[in-house]
Amino acid sequence: MKLITGATWNILHGTFSDQVLASLAYLISKKQVDFICLQEAQIEDKINLLLASGKFPNWKAVHFHAKTQGHELAMLWNSERMQLTDQPRLILLPMLKGHSFIEYAFR
């Protein structure tokens, strides 16, 4: 069994996006996490620019947009360590108002 390391972070609607991007770069390069999940991630363009910069060539991202504010989610992963095997989907659980669940299929 292979051990993976992840980080999850509620980034408050993209507030302080420059610091968030610097922290993402730190988590990827220094802490060597395998995946990162960002909640309230309203910085899709900036995440895409970070990954397109060439500094992190093995990293991929998928973004989710829900109709309700606060349900924007981003999942980033190191494609050398993990592969997305199916289309991820966002599941909003009505019984847990304000909470969401993301179902991913990785191998």
Side-chain angles (χ1 to χ4, degrees):
M1 175 174 23
K2 132 174 116 170
L3 198 59
I4 60 171
T5 304
T8 183
W9 190 6
N10 184 320
I11 61 171
L12 302 172
H13 305 292
T15 306
F16 309 112
S17 60
D18 291 337
Q19 292 92 335
V20 169
L21 293 174
S23 295
L24 289 177
Y26 174 79
L27 286 169
I28 292 170
S29 62
K30 302 292 185 205
K31 293 297 183 181
Q32 299 178 343
V33 297
D34 299 310
F35 71 91
I36 301 169
C37 181
L38 301 174
Q39 301 114 28
E40 299 185 21
Q42 297 175 343
I43 59 170
E44 179 176 350
D45 293 342
K46 292 183 178 187
I47 291 171
N48 290 340
L49 284 173
L50 176 69
L51 296 183
S53 72
K55 294 178 183 177
F56 310 107
N58 301 315
W59 279 77
K60 310 288 183 203
V62 64
H63 303 272
F64 299 92
H65 304 281
K67 293 179 182 177
T68 55
Q69 185 175 4
H71 286 96
E72 296 83 7
L73 300 165
M75 178 72 180
L76 297 82
W77 69 95
N78 182 338
S79 62
E80 282 190 332
R81 299 267 301 149
M82 304 170 70
Q83 291 181 2
L84 190 62
T85 60
D86 198 359
Q87 179 64 36
R89 56 191 175 139
L90 175 64
I91 302 169
L92 296 176
L93 302 173
M95 64 186 153
L96 299 174
K97 188 174 181 180
H99 296 276
S100 58
F101 172 76
I102 307 174
E103 182 178 341
Y104 292 100
F106 282 103
R107 70 176 149 120

